[in-house]
Amino acid sequence: MVGKFKGACVWPIPSRRERLSLLMKYTAQYDDIIRRYSADVIEPVITGVIDGIAKNPREMEQLTGSIWMEKSKNLGLTVPRVRVFFSIEGATPETEHILLLFIEEISTTDEIIG
């Protein structure tokens, strides 16, 4: 998934009708996070968040009318946490897909503040 996207691309979820699209901004931020940490450490964290979004997008925190967010769980001090912002696109459940907008690392200060 690292660094090969031009514009938005579509990533089908085999077990669901929903689809994920990634913006270039998301891809660049993803690449930056992967460069800072071992892929063995951070990729399972990101994959877990994305899988949760793909399975139940409307169960995540809705920030505005069209922007939603999900955070990774705290897995200890050595495993970074991430926050993914996304929108749910499409007029009907059959045409619905997830557009991944941004991904960012949650800093230790953010975790302390809440």
Side-chain angles (χ1 to χ4, degrees), residues 47-76:
T47 300
V49 172
I50 300 304
D51 286 349
I53 291 169
K55 291 176 186 168
N56 296 303
R58 295 189 186 279
E59 296 297 317
M60 308 307 161
E61 183 178 351
Q62 187 173 11
L63 302 176
T64 68
S66 62
I67 307 291
W68 304 69
M69 180 197 60
E70 177 60 346
K71 295 185 250 183
S72 62
K73 306 253 184 272
N74 187 344
L75 300 173

Side-chain angles (χ1 to χ4, degrees), residues 37 71-83 104-114:
Y37 299 98
K71 295 185 250 183
S72 62
K73 306 253 184 272
N74 187 344
L75 300 173
L77 294 175
T78 60
V79 180
R81 293 185 65 205
V82 296
R83 183 172 19 231
E104 63 184 12
E105 182 182 353
I106 301 173
S107 72
T108 306
T109 305
D110 288 345
E111 290 190 59
I112 292 169
I113 294 172

Side-chain angles (χ1 to χ4, degrees), residues 8-31:
C9 75
V10 177
W11 176 19
I13 304 298
S15 62
R16 305 208 23 120
R17 291 188 157 279
E18 298 166 339
R19 298 170 73 82
L20 294 176
S21 299
L22 311 168
L23 291 182
M24 280 183 70
K25 180 76 170 175
Y26 175 92
T27 303
Q29 292 168 329
Y30 174 91
D31 290 348

